[in-house]
Short mmCIF file of all heavy atoms in Angstrom, two decimals:
data_model
loop_
_atom_site.label_atom_id
_atom_site.label_comp_id
_atom_site.label_asym_id
_atom_site.label_seq_id
_atom_site.Cartn_x
_atom_site.Cartn_y
_atom_site.Cartn_z
N ALA A 1 53.53 -88.48 -24.01
CA ALA A 1 54.31 -89.67 -24.31
C ALA A 1 55.71 -89.64 -23.74
O ALA A 1 56.33 -90.67 -23.64
CB ALA A 1 54.38 -89.75 -25.90
N GLN A 2 56.16 -88.47 -23.33
CA GLN A 2 57.47 -88.36 -22.71
C GLN A 2 57.40 -88.22 -21.18
O GLN A 2 58.39 -87.84 -20.53
CB GLN A 2 58.27 -87.12 -23.28
CG GLN A 2 58.33 -87.17 -24.81
CD GLN A 2 58.94 -88.45 -25.38
OE1 GLN A 2 59.84 -88.97 -24.71
NE2 GLN A 2 58.40 -88.93 -26.42
N GLY A 3 56.21 -88.46 -20.61
CA GLY A 3 56.13 -88.56 -19.18
C GLY A 3 55.29 -87.40 -18.52
O GLY A 3 55.11 -87.44 -17.30
N CYS A 4 54.90 -86.47 -19.38
CA CYS A 4 54.05 -85.34 -18.81
C CYS A 4 52.69 -85.82 -18.16
O CYS A 4 51.93 -86.51 -18.93
CB CYS A 4 53.77 -84.28 -19.83
SG CYS A 4 52.71 -82.97 -19.25
N HIS A 5 52.45 -85.62 -16.94
CA HIS A 5 51.25 -86.05 -16.25
C HIS A 5 50.27 -84.88 -16.05
O HIS A 5 49.10 -84.95 -16.22
CB HIS A 5 51.55 -86.69 -14.96
CG HIS A 5 50.34 -87.22 -14.23
ND1 HIS A 5 49.84 -88.49 -14.49
CD2 HIS A 5 49.56 -86.72 -13.25
CE1 HIS A 5 48.73 -88.67 -13.70
NE2 HIS A 5 48.57 -87.61 -12.93
N TYR A 6 50.92 -83.71 -15.60
CA TYR A 6 50.09 -82.55 -15.31
C TYR A 6 50.17 -81.51 -16.44
O TYR A 6 51.27 -81.02 -16.71
CB TYR A 6 50.64 -81.95 -14.00
CG TYR A 6 50.67 -82.91 -12.79
CD1 TYR A 6 51.83 -83.55 -12.49
CD2 TYR A 6 49.46 -83.14 -12.08
CE1 TYR A 6 51.76 -84.45 -11.42
CE2 TYR A 6 49.57 -84.00 -10.99
CZ TYR A 6 50.66 -84.70 -10.72
OH TYR A 6 50.60 -85.55 -9.65
N ALA A 7 49.03 -81.25 -17.07
CA ALA A 7 49.02 -80.35 -18.20
C ALA A 7 47.80 -79.45 -18.18
O ALA A 7 46.77 -79.79 -17.54
CB ALA A 7 49.08 -81.18 -19.48
N PHE A 8 47.92 -78.36 -18.93
CA PHE A 8 46.82 -77.49 -19.10
C PHE A 8 46.45 -77.30 -20.56
O PHE A 8 47.32 -77.40 -21.44
CB PHE A 8 47.16 -76.07 -18.55
CG PHE A 8 47.13 -75.99 -17.04
CD1 PHE A 8 48.22 -76.37 -16.28
CD2 PHE A 8 46.05 -75.52 -16.40
CE1 PHE A 8 48.23 -76.28 -14.92
CE2 PHE A 8 46.00 -75.39 -14.97
CZ PHE A 8 47.03 -75.82 -14.25
N THR A 9 45.11 -76.99 -20.85
CA THR A 9 44.77 -76.53 -22.18
C THR A 9 45.37 -75.14 -22.41
O THR A 9 45.93 -74.45 -21.46
CB THR A 9 43.28 -76.48 -22.26
OG1 THR A 9 42.81 -75.35 -21.57
CG2 THR A 9 42.56 -77.72 -21.82
N ALA A 10 45.26 -74.61 -23.64
CA ALA A 10 45.53 -73.27 -23.84
C ALA A 10 44.45 -72.39 -23.14
O ALA A 10 43.41 -72.92 -22.74
CB ALA A 10 45.42 -72.93 -25.32
N LEU A 11 44.75 -71.22 -22.87
CA LEU A 11 43.84 -70.30 -22.09
C LEU A 11 42.54 -70.02 -22.94
O LEU A 11 42.64 -70.07 -24.17
CB LEU A 11 44.48 -69.05 -21.62
CG LEU A 11 45.05 -68.04 -22.63
CD1 LEU A 11 43.95 -67.11 -23.19
CD2 LEU A 11 46.18 -67.23 -22.04
N VAL A 12 41.49 -69.88 -22.21
CA VAL A 12 40.20 -69.46 -22.91
C VAL A 12 39.79 -68.10 -22.33
O VAL A 12 39.96 -67.84 -21.08
CB VAL A 12 39.11 -70.47 -22.68
CG1 VAL A 12 39.44 -71.73 -23.51
CG2 VAL A 12 38.92 -70.79 -21.20
N ASP A 13 39.28 -67.25 -23.19
CA ASP A 13 38.82 -66.00 -22.80
C ASP A 13 37.39 -66.08 -22.17
O ASP A 13 36.49 -66.70 -22.78
CB ASP A 13 38.79 -64.95 -24.02
CG ASP A 13 38.38 -63.66 -23.66
OD1 ASP A 13 39.10 -62.81 -23.23
OD2 ASP A 13 37.12 -63.34 -23.82
N ALA A 14 37.17 -65.39 -21.03
CA ALA A 14 35.89 -65.51 -20.37
C ALA A 14 34.75 -64.98 -21.21
O ALA A 14 33.61 -65.56 -21.31
CB ALA A 14 35.91 -64.80 -19.09
N GLY A 15 35.01 -63.92 -21.93
CA GLY A 15 33.97 -63.35 -22.80
C GLY A 15 33.64 -64.28 -23.91
O GLY A 15 32.49 -64.54 -24.20
N ALA A 16 34.69 -64.75 -24.62
CA ALA A 16 34.48 -65.73 -25.73
C ALA A 16 33.71 -66.94 -25.22
O ALA A 16 32.86 -67.57 -25.90
CB ALA A 16 35.78 -66.13 -26.27
N MET A 17 34.02 -67.39 -24.01
CA MET A 17 33.38 -68.60 -23.42
C MET A 17 31.89 -68.32 -23.16
O MET A 17 30.92 -68.96 -23.50
CB MET A 17 34.12 -68.94 -22.18
CG MET A 17 33.65 -70.26 -21.51
SD MET A 17 34.30 -71.71 -22.45
CE MET A 17 33.32 -73.01 -21.70
N ALA A 18 31.69 -67.08 -22.56
CA ALA A 18 30.32 -66.68 -22.17
C ALA A 18 29.41 -66.51 -23.35
O ALA A 18 28.16 -66.85 -23.35
CB ALA A 18 30.32 -65.49 -21.35
N TYR A 19 29.96 -66.11 -24.47
CA TYR A 19 29.15 -65.81 -25.66
C TYR A 19 29.18 -66.89 -26.71
O TYR A 19 28.79 -66.77 -27.87
CB TYR A 19 29.61 -64.41 -26.31
CG TYR A 19 29.24 -63.30 -25.49
CD1 TYR A 19 30.17 -62.53 -24.83
CD2 TYR A 19 27.88 -62.99 -25.20
CE1 TYR A 19 29.84 -61.43 -23.99
CE2 TYR A 19 27.49 -61.93 -24.42
CZ TYR A 19 28.46 -61.16 -23.84
OH TYR A 19 28.14 -60.10 -22.94
N GLY A 20 29.80 -68.07 -26.37
CA GLY A 20 29.69 -69.16 -27.18
C GLY A 20 30.65 -69.26 -28.38
O GLY A 20 30.23 -69.88 -29.42
N ASN A 21 31.77 -68.68 -28.31
CA ASN A 21 32.75 -68.83 -29.41
C ASN A 21 33.07 -70.26 -29.77
O ASN A 21 33.55 -71.01 -28.83
CB ASN A 21 34.03 -68.07 -29.06
CG ASN A 21 34.98 -67.93 -30.24
OD1 ASN A 21 35.20 -68.92 -31.05
ND2 ASN A 21 35.67 -66.80 -30.38
N PRO A 22 32.79 -70.81 -31.02
CA PRO A 22 32.93 -72.12 -31.32
C PRO A 22 34.35 -72.67 -31.23
O PRO A 22 34.61 -73.82 -31.07
CB PRO A 22 32.37 -72.25 -32.70
CG PRO A 22 32.49 -70.92 -33.26
CD PRO A 22 32.26 -69.93 -32.16
N HIS A 23 35.38 -71.71 -31.28
CA HIS A 23 36.72 -72.13 -31.25
C HIS A 23 37.11 -72.77 -29.88
O HIS A 23 38.08 -73.53 -29.72
CB HIS A 23 37.67 -70.93 -31.50
CG HIS A 23 37.61 -70.43 -32.89
ND1 HIS A 23 37.89 -71.25 -34.00
CD2 HIS A 23 37.26 -69.28 -33.41
CE1 HIS A 23 37.72 -70.49 -35.13
NE2 HIS A 23 37.33 -69.30 -34.80
N ASN A 24 36.28 -72.41 -28.85
CA ASN A 24 36.54 -72.90 -27.51
C ASN A 24 36.45 -74.50 -27.45
O ASN A 24 37.04 -75.14 -26.65
CB ASN A 24 35.64 -72.36 -26.50
CG ASN A 24 36.04 -70.88 -26.19
OD1 ASN A 24 37.27 -70.51 -26.24
ND2 ASN A 24 35.10 -70.07 -25.94
N GLU A 25 35.63 -75.07 -28.41
CA GLU A 25 35.49 -76.47 -28.41
C GLU A 25 36.78 -77.18 -28.68
O GLU A 25 37.04 -78.25 -28.12
CB GLU A 25 34.43 -76.87 -29.39
CG GLU A 25 33.00 -76.53 -29.05
CD GLU A 25 32.56 -77.13 -27.76
OE1 GLU A 25 32.81 -78.38 -27.55
OE2 GLU A 25 31.96 -76.40 -26.92
N THR A 26 37.58 -76.69 -29.63
CA THR A 26 38.86 -77.36 -29.89
C THR A 26 39.93 -76.98 -28.80
O THR A 26 40.71 -77.85 -28.47
CB THR A 26 39.43 -76.90 -31.22
OG1 THR A 26 39.40 -75.51 -31.38
CG2 THR A 26 38.58 -77.50 -32.38
N ILE A 27 39.87 -75.76 -28.22
CA ILE A 27 40.74 -75.48 -27.19
C ILE A 27 40.54 -76.32 -25.96
O ILE A 27 41.50 -76.81 -25.35
CB ILE A 27 40.58 -73.94 -26.71
CG1 ILE A 27 41.01 -73.06 -27.90
CG2 ILE A 27 41.43 -73.69 -25.50
CD1 ILE A 27 40.75 -71.53 -27.57
#
């Protein structure tokens, strides 16, 4: 809302991603 165009999500852990940690859905 203040002009930011380029942004990143919070980081995700590769292991948590590979093993299906449900918290990654909100991240």
